[in-house]
Amino acid sequence: MRAQTIDGKAIAQKMRDEVAVEANALAEQGWQPRLVSISVGDMAASELYVRNQQRSAESAGVQFEARNYPEDISLEQLTGVLQGLNGDPRVNGIIIQRPLPAHIPVKTLQKAVHPLKDVEGMHPASIGNIVYNDLALGPCTAVAAVEILKTLPLQMEGLNVTVIGHSEIVGKPIAFLMMGLGATVTVCHHMTRSVAMHSRAADAVFVAVGKPGLVTGDMIKPGAAVIDIGINRVDGKTVGDADFDSCAEVAGWITPVPGGVGPVTVATLMKNAVLATRMQKDHYRDSYARTDV
């Protein structure tokens, strides 16, 4: 029996509808969620992402401002821009669009964003909080992938999970998120001797490596869930890291690329925007509320 294709767009729409209700409630209290997107230089590589983010924000009741700075802007100047946004209570979330020019290290900018405004979940504090099962503002792609798995009729406690790829912002956070749900997790990487040995034993496989067709049907346990996070361009088409056709013949559920994890990632960004706004509202209340009345 062929695998059920997971509809990421439908999951994302449900999330955006829920976010819109919360965003409206915050706006009525004077805290309209607002995101600022920062890109540098030629926007050709990030233009589609920015457009999708803006469209998703509008449908979720989140204001969105896209800013583009010249390619020759210095790291010091850009850090100053971020410091200004950090201190602006009208800005609730900051997005750093990639790629960036060679002279601007992305990790330096991610560290410069205040953790309360880190809607992408890329700040070291946000990544580190996952170890303590604090999921306030987790990395969007990792959180989205796990949220997709949670929509399936699978018992998370004791689930055997294999994560293929151990990047700091996707693979490793997924592993910690799944462990927080009670799953037993194996993480595979480029030095793993037999990835297939681990993936065939898994009830769910996450793959985020950036190699098209890396995971094939003979690497999947019958009835398992395959969450494909890869995004690759092959012969003008966007494909994932899993060979969809062969995996779909074996798996119980599989995410398509595009239309799977991608839309849910953007919806998670909007959810983080609302969470960040609420956290900042509470922070200002706790810090500045009068106690003599």
Side-chain angles (χ1 to χ4, degrees):
M1 187 173 178
R2 191 173 174 85
Q4 176 183 330
T5 300
I6 300 170
D7 189 348
K9 293 181 180 179
I11 296 172
Q13 184 60 58
K14 183 174 183 294
M15 290 176 64
R16 284 196 303 271
D17 291 343
E18 293 170 351
V19 167
V21 173
E22 296 185 47
N24 184 60
L26 283 166
E28 289 178 351
Q29 299 172 53
W31 283 85
Q32 169 66 59
R34 180 168 173 246
L35 295 175
V36 172
S37 162
I38 302 293
S39 57
V40 180
D42 184 9
M43 285 188 62
S46 62
E47 186 176 9
L48 178 62
Y49 292 107
V50 175
R51 194 161 57 241
N52 287 341
Q53 289 168 358
Q54 182 155 14
R55 188 163 48 238
S56 183
E58 290 170 354
S59 69
V62 175
Q63 292 183 352
F64 188 95
E65 178 188 352
R67 298 187 183 182
N68 179 245
Y69 292 92
E71 188 162 356
D72 60 356
I73 189 172
S74 70
L75 176 60
E76 291 75 15
Q77 289 173 312
L78 203 52
T79 301
V81 169
L82 294 179
Q83 289 173 343
L85 294 175
N86 285 337
D88 189 344
R90 298 166 299 178
V91 176
N92 307 114
I94 302 168
I95 305 168
I96 308 295
Q97 303 292 349
R98 289 164 289 278
L100 291 166
H103 68 283
I104 298 182
V106 64
K107 288 186 178 181
T108 301
L109 290 191
Q110 288 165 348
K111 290 178 183 178
V113 174
H114 193 286
L116 283 178
K117 299 192 177 188
D118 176 34
V119 291
E120 293 185 283
M122 300 292 195
H123 191 281
S126 303
I127 300 285
N129 282 339
I130 294 179
V131 177
Y132 298 98
N133 211 29
D134 177 358
L135 312 180
L137 293 175
C140 293
T141 302
V143 171
V146 172
E147 285 299 314
I148 288 174
L149 187 68
K150 287 163 64 177
T151 67
L152 305 182
L154 295 171
Q155 184 76 25
M156 296 295 113
E157 294 87 349
L159 196 74
N160 287 321
V161 173
T162 291
V163 181
I164 304 174
H166 70 317
S167 70
E168 290 83 0
I169 60 175
V170 182
K172 289 175 183 174
I174 286 174
F176 280 109
L177 289 167
M178 290 307 305
M179 283 191 286
L181 294 172
T184 300
V185 182
T186 298
V187 179
C188 299
H189 43 77
H190 65 285
M191 294 187 350
T192 301
R193 292 176 181 174
S194 175
V195 173
M197 179 184 74
H198 298 289
S199 61
R200 286 194 200 106
D203 304 308
V205 175
F206 294 89
V207 55
V209 176
K211 291 186 178 180
L214 175 68
V215 175
T216 53
D218 60 356
M219 297 171 63
I220 300 300
K221 175 182 177 180
V226 178
I227 311 297
D228 188 353
I229 306 162
I231 300 178
N232 311 284
R233 294 292 290 178
V234 177
D235 297 330
K237 295 181 179 180
T238 301
V239 299
D241 288 348
D243 179 64
F244 186 88
D245 290 334
S246 66
C247 288
E249 292 298 326
V250 182
W253 303 269
I254 187 170
T255 56
V257 179
V261 176
V264 183
T265 297
V266 179
T268 301
L269 180 67
M270 300 309 133
K271 184 177 180 179
N272 278 358
V274 167
L275 285 171
T277 304
R278 190 173 299 281
M279 290 164 64
Q280 289 161 51
K281 172 178 172 290
D282 293 345
H283 171 75
Y284 276 95
R285 179 199 63 202
D286 296 342
S287 300
Y288 302 108
R290 291 182 61 183
T291 58
D292 59 345
V293 294

